């Protein structure tokens, strides 16, 4: 009986894919081709072959620049982040509240100054911190996705100047440079 079953089975023939895929292109070229008339990157469909070996991990998963058109107005935003940074540095606000809005280098400086102020207040150096108030903000946008802000901050009778450089990353402004006078 086993001979009759195997006698009428034919071997299976496997064919390759019937459609040919386009050749792979570098990621940068794929993004250029998918951009709309304004230059904003578009959706890259599955049918478009992308050579991921050409893109580095930093290009694929690192911070992505954001155009000015996709960011909020820098004036009101810089007023709020300047207020938050001054409060962190005076020990009135936890440093973790500004970590998302600053680069690691700026965050390290702000957090260290905040910890020093909190320690000074705990040892009796300063009995209470005065709340700083942002008095004015002036914004200059030297390049697409970059804003430089000069801020005037008053803390009681003392008036200070602050300079911020904001860059558009991952759809939001981030403080990448900070100088306080």
């Amino acid at each position: 009986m086993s001979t009759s079953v195997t006698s009428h089975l034919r071997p299976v023939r496997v064919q390759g894919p019937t459609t040919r895929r386009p050749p792979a292109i570098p990621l940068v070229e794929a993004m250029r081709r998918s951009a709309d008339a304004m230059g904003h990157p578009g959706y890259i469909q599955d049918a478009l072959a992308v050579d991921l070996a050409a893109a580095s991990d930093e290009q694929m998963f690192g911070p992505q620049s954001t155009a000015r058109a996709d960011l909020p107005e820098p004036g009101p935003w810089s007023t709020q982040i300047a207020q938050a940074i001054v409060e962190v540095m005076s020990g009135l606000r936890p440093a973790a509240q500004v970590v998302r809005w600053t680069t690691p280098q700026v965050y390290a400086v702000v957090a260290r100054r905040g910890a020093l102020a909190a320690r000074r207040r705990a040892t009796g150096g300063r009995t209470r911190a005065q709340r700083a108030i942002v008095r004015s903000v002036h914004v200059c946008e030297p390049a697409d996705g970059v804003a430089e802000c000069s801020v005037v901050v008053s803390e009681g009778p003392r008036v200070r100047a602050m300079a911020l450089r904001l860059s558009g990353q991952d759809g939001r402004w981030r403080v990448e440079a900070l100088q306080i006078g």
Side-chain angles (χ1 to χ4, degrees):
M1 181 160 188
S2 64
T3 56
S4 65
V5 172
T6 58
S7 65
H8 61 275
L9 290 178
R10 294 188 300 224
V12 176
R13 184 173 167 218
V14 178
Q15 294 183 350
T18 57
T19 60
R20 297 214 19 113
R21 291 185 169 252
I25 60 173
L27 177 62
V28 175
E29 176 64 17
M31 293 189 70
R32 186 190 64 75
R33 288 184 187 181
S34 70
D36 62 9
M38 299 295 291
H40 299 110
Y43 174 72
I44 300 174
Q45 296 181 5
D46 184 34
L48 181 63
V50 178
D51 181 11
L52 295 178
S56 69
D57 286 347
E58 186 65 25
Q59 287 175 315
M60 293 296 291
F61 304 110
Q64 303 295 315
S65 297
T66 302
R68 172 63 181 92
D70 299 327
L71 294 165
E73 284 298 316
W77 192 90
S78 60
T79 301
Q80 291 176 345
I81 194 65
Q83 182 73 42
I85 287 172
V86 169
E87 289 175 4
V88 168
M89 291 194 313
S90 63
L92 297 174
R93 179 188 290 240
Q97 290 185 1
V98 297
V99 71
R100 179 178 178 184
W101 312 107
T102 58
T103 61
Q105 297 83 9
V106 171
Y107 176 75
V109 171
V110 171
R112 182 172 36 95
R113 286 187 66 171
L116 288 172
R119 189 177 320 134
R120 201 175 318 126
R121 201 169 45 255
T123 59
R126 266 171 91 180
T127 55
R128 73 184 242 284
Q130 292 185 342
R131 186 167 190 266
I133 299 169
V134 173
R135 294 292 179 190
S136 68
V137 175
H138 298 280
V139 179
C140 173
E141 297 184 50
D144 186 36
V146 175
E148 294 178 344
C149 309
S150 60
V151 182
V152 176
V153 179
S154 66
E155 189 175 0
R158 186 175 182 187
V159 178
R160 306 169 91 180
M162 176 189 289
L164 304 169
R165 181 175 175 93
L166 310 176
S167 64
Q169 285 185 350
D170 299 330
R172 65 179 181 259
W173 288 113
R174 286 187 77 190
V175 179
E176 68 177 8
L178 170 68
Q179 188 72 40
I180 298 179

